[in-house]
Amino acid sequence: MPNRKAATPITLAVVKTACSNCNLHELCLPLGLSHAEIEKLDEVVSARHRIKRGEHLYRAGETFNSIYAVRSGFFKTDVLLEDGREQVTGFQMTGELLGLDGISTEAHSCNAVALEDSEVCAIPFSHLEGLSREIQTLQHHFHKVMSREIVRDHGVMMLLGTMRAEERLAAFLLNLSQRFTARGYSPAEFYLRMTREEIGSYLGLKLETVSRAFSRFQEEGLIAVQQKHVRILDIVKLKQLMSHHHRE
Amino acid sequence: MPNRKAATPITLAVVKTACSNCNLHELCLPLGLSHAEIEKLDEVVSARHRIKRGEHLYRAGETFNSIYAVRSGFFKTDVLLEDGREQVTGFQMTGELLGLDGISTEAHSCNAVALEDSEVCAIPFSHLEGLSREIQTLQHHFHKVMSREIVRDHGVMMLLGTMRAEERLAAFLLNLSQRFTARGYSPAEFYLRMTREEIGSYLGLKLETVSRAFSRFQEEGLIAVQQKHVRILDIVKLKQLMSHHHRE
DNA sequence: CTCGCACGTTGACTTGGATCAAAGGGGCAC
DNA sequence: GTGCCCCTTTGATCCAAGTCAACGTGCGAG
């Protein structure tokens, strides 16, 4: 029961971020914190930024200062090779953190691009470290988030290293479905924010292969797809696709 | 209590670890700590374990309690799919940490296997968190290590997602060379501890493809390879291999 | 030391996904 | 509203790596 609402009247001069007013508690950094602890976190989370579709939140090589929590919208992160080859390393949605890769060298090691108009909360990393020396729950949760990123990356390595094209796309769709569900959206129907080429880059496939796999899934009645709109029709078969090896 | 060089081969009582006596300072967790701080870390690093070649340090699904620092030896980590497909997610050598993936769910998410007789220092994770609330340098360095793991994984995703077989093997050899160098070994000559199949699993290739790529490199005078012994003859060309896209 | 078997190499053939090409269609800027 | 360009789909062909097979070989268990 926050009584601070009454304390701050209508004055909205500064659009200060406030984790305590944010409905992303259960997805984002404040998970498990007491109300008093969240208010401490409020002081650390400096500001909210708006990023328009197509704009960079940060670029590889830039100095690392803050990590970012996605308040609303959708991002991709990617790495570029000198010869222009691109690997999308992840897609980030509401409540997920961006910039963890920058801690190691104090410079961002990838690009973060908004795939739709988005808002992020910037969290100066040194402040976060300070606060997590005070609040054990915050420290532990932050470690879990970093570790989860490592586990996620291992999952992608498994996908890229051992799966066939259709398995990869099935895994991708099921992962999206599960993350939309966790955010209160439909598990079976969603809009993709990324192009076929970006999906392909993430999955280690060419855009034509992604497109063909979508068509095949549709032919077989697993999904209904029209451009970026996807409806999952047979989630069971989609899951089975991944557990069968290629030869039956 | 030091001077355990003449370790009796029969009594394998767990030897007390001491970071302060360990020559891995500059690679391992104590990096940047003062002498007094390292002594605090000594109290936390509970014990050293010997792991014989082929034995598991931990298995996917086991409860997570500690992370491990490789004191000597060589490990691989891998993830298994239900249908038996395996993805090697990494190779760990002296001074590197194992088990970071277990923090997120409090259970290990992969298997860690010794590729040669090895020793590890177990670091109970809750103690490490406790100490890193006290010692800012330790906290920050631990965060850097986790972040470095994420960056490394992104590198592997790039490799798996965009590179051709020979580029992958070149990247792999150069990475090993660089890590051996950092440990004071020759940058140009080393023994592989893993089989062609394990290399293949890590690189998303079949063992025959790995073998053929080795042979090709040898034909072209880039390396001399005989079984697990590798000598790099032309590091410049090996690096060039990676920056050219497939078509010239 | 030596014997057996796991590991490695090489060849012939197959194939899944890449490449090249061409033709819609839909969303966004104006 | 409308026009253009990017995104997507689909077809035809190619090729890098996978698969299948057979034969070496060197290491470590005994």
Side-chain angles (χ1 to χ4, degrees):
Chain A
M1 286 298 141
N3 50 2
R4 88 198 297 275
K5 276 245 169 98
T8 37
I10 322 164
T11 350
L12 292 178
V14 181
V15 188
K16 180 78 177 81
T17 333
C19 297
S20 38
N21 290 335
C22 177
N23 58 352
L24 260 34
H25 283 171
E26 295 310 308
L27 287 168
C28 194
L29 216 44
L31 178 70
L33 299 194
S34 74
H35 189 67
E37 289 166 343
I38 295 187
E39 287 189 345
K40 281 191 183 179
L41 190 57
D42 277 353
E43 288 162 32
V44 159
V45 177
S46 59
R48 205 190 287 182
H49 297 282
R50 293 172 188 279
I51 314 286
K52 283 215 173 299
R53 171 202 169 107
E55 286 179 359
H56 280 72
L57 174 57
Y58 55 79
R59 288 168 194 273
E62 287 178 7
T63 309
F64 166 79
N65 286 307
S66 299
I67 61 172
Y68 302 91
V70 180
R71 180 71 186 79
S72 67
F74 209 96
F75 286 83
K76 73 166 177 181
T77 48
D78 64 15
V79 187
L80 265 64
L81 241 44
E82 318 78 57
D83 61 11
R85 279 181 281 183
E86 178 197 27
Q87 175 71 33
V88 171
T89 54
F91 297 106
Q92 295 78 22
M93 44 205 279
T94 310
E96 296 177 335
L97 296 186
L98 278 158
L100 297 176
D101 55 278
I103 302 167
S104 84
T105 58
E106 275 144 42
H108 290 287
S109 70
C110 63
N111 305 291
V113 185
L115 296 183
E116 61 183 30
D117 293 357
S118 303
E119 287 186 339
V120 298
C121 302
I123 309 166
F125 188 61
S126 58
H127 295 190
L128 181 64
E129 285 193 329
L131 197 58
S132 76
R133 269 178 267 124
E134 281 179 44
I135 306 175
Q136 186 175 351
T137 318
L138 177 63
Q139 180 197 36
H140 191 58
H141 185 239
F142 178 66
H143 290 159
K144 283 190 162 191
V145 169
M146 288 211 90
S147 174
R148 192 194 305 152
E149 180 70 17
I150 292 171
V151 175
R152 190 193 69 82
D153 290 347
H154 289 176
V156 177
M157 286 166 62
M158 165 64 83
L159 180 148
L160 292 171
T162 74
M163 292 189 184
R164 340 193 59 249
E166 292 187 5
E167 293 176 312
R168 296 183 196 193
L169 186 63
F172 175 70
L173 292 174
L174 291 167
N175 174 266
L176 279 185
S177 162
Q178 178 258 305
R179 284 155 76 197
F180 280 123
T181 308
R183 282 157 185 79
Y185 299 109
S186 165
E189 193 165 5
F190 44 85
Y191 280 92
L192 303 170
R193 321 292 150 119
M194 68 293 282
T195 66
R196 300 288 188 264
E197 186 166 24
E198 286 162 337
I199 297 172
S201 171
Y202 182 63
L203 299 179
L205 302 170
K206 291 295 162 188
L207 66 95
E208 295 94 329
T209 305
V210 174
S211 179
R212 279 187 245 270
F214 268 121
S215 302
R216 180 77 92 87
F217 284 177
Q218 177 144 262
E219 280 168 30
E220 292 178 356
L222 303 180
I223 64 172
V225 56
Q226 194 181 21
Q227 304 288 129
K228 295 195 156 60
H229 180 257
V230 172
R231 197 147 45 89
I232 297 178
L233 301 175
D234 194 336
I235 199 163
V236 177
K237 271 197 195 159
L238 213 51
K239 282 178 182 163
Q240 284 175 352
L241 232 169
M242 285 170 47
S243 26
H244 294 320
H245 205 347
H246 42 109
R247 53 193 60 261
E248 292 136 33
Chain B
M1 46 189 103
N3 192 2
R4 54 183 83 88
K5 268 276 165 66
T8 60
I10 303 168
T11 332
L12 291 183
V14 174
V15 192
K16 181 71 183 100
T17 334
C19 297
S20 37
N21 290 335
C22 176
N23 58 352
L24 261 34
H25 285 168
E26 294 310 308
L27 286 169
C28 192
L29 216 45
L31 178 70
L33 298 195
S34 74
H35 189 68
E37 288 166 343
I38 295 187
E39 286 188 344
K40 281 192 181 178
L41 189 56
D42 277 354
E43 288 162 32
V44 158
V45 176
S46 59
R48 204 191 288 182
H49 297 282
R50 292 171 189 277
I51 313 286
K52 283 214 173 302
R53 171 201 168 106
E55 285 179 0
H56 280 72
L57 173 59
Y58 55 79
R59 288 169 193 274
E62 287 177 8
T63 309
F64 166 79
N65 285 308
S66 299
I67 60 172
Y68 302 91
V70 180
R71 181 72 186 78
S72 67
F74 210 96
F75 286 83
K76 73 166 177 181
T77 47
D78 65 13
V79 187
L80 265 66
L81 242 44
E82 318 77 58
D83 61 12
R85 280 181 281 182
E86 179 197 27
Q87 175 71 31
V88 171
T89 53
F91 297 106
Q92 295 77 22
M93 46 205 278
T94 312
E96 295 177 336
L97 296 185
L98 278 157
L100 296 176
D101 55 278
I103 301 167
S104 86
T105 59
E106 274 143 45
H108 290 287
S109 70
C110 63
N111 305 291
V113 185
L115 295 183
E116 62 183 30
D117 294 357
S118 302
E119 288 186 338
V120 298
C121 303
I123 308 165
F125 187 63
S126 57
H127 295 189
L128 181 64
E129 285 194 329
L131 196 58
S132 75
R133 268 177 270 126
E134 282 179 42
I135 306 175
Q136 188 175 350
T137 318
L138 177 63
Q139 179 198 36
H140 190 58
H141 185 238
F142 178 65
H143 289 160
K144 282 188 164 192
V145 169
M146 289 210 89
S147 174
R148 192 196 303 153
E149 180 70 16
I150 292 171
V151 175
R152 191 193 68 82
D153 290 347
H154 288 176
V156 177
M157 286 166 61
M158 165 64 83
L159 181 149
L160 292 170
T162 73
M163 291 188 185
R164 348 203 40 250
E166 294 188 3
E167 293 175 311
R168 295 184 197 193
L169 187 63
F172 175 70
L173 292 174
L174 291 167
N175 175 266
L176 280 186
S177 162
Q178 178 258 306
R179 284 155 77 196
F180 280 123
T181 308
R183 281 155 187 80
Y185 300 109
S186 166
E189 192 165 6
F190 44 84
Y191 280 92
L192 302 170
R193 321 293 150 115
M194 68 295 282
T195 66
R196 300 287 187 264
E197 186 166 24
E198 287 163 336
I199 297 172
S201 172
Y202 181 62
L203 300 179
L205 302 169
K206 292 295 163 185
L207 65 95
E208 295 94 331
T209 306
V210 174
S211 181
R212 279 187 245 269
F214 269 121
S215 302
R216 180 76 93 87
F217 284 177
Q218 176 144 262
E219 280 167 30
E220 293 179 355
L222 302 181
I223 64 171
V225 56
Q226 193 179 23
Q227 305 288 129
K228 293 194 158 62
H229 180 257
V230 173
R231 197 147 44 90
I232 297 178
L233 301 176
D234 193 337
I235 200 164
V236 177
K237 271 198 196 158
L238 212 51
K239 280 178 182 163
Q240 283 174 353
L241 233 169
M242 285 169 48
S243 26
H244 293 319
H245 205 350
H246 43 108
R247 56 192 59 263
E248 293 140 29

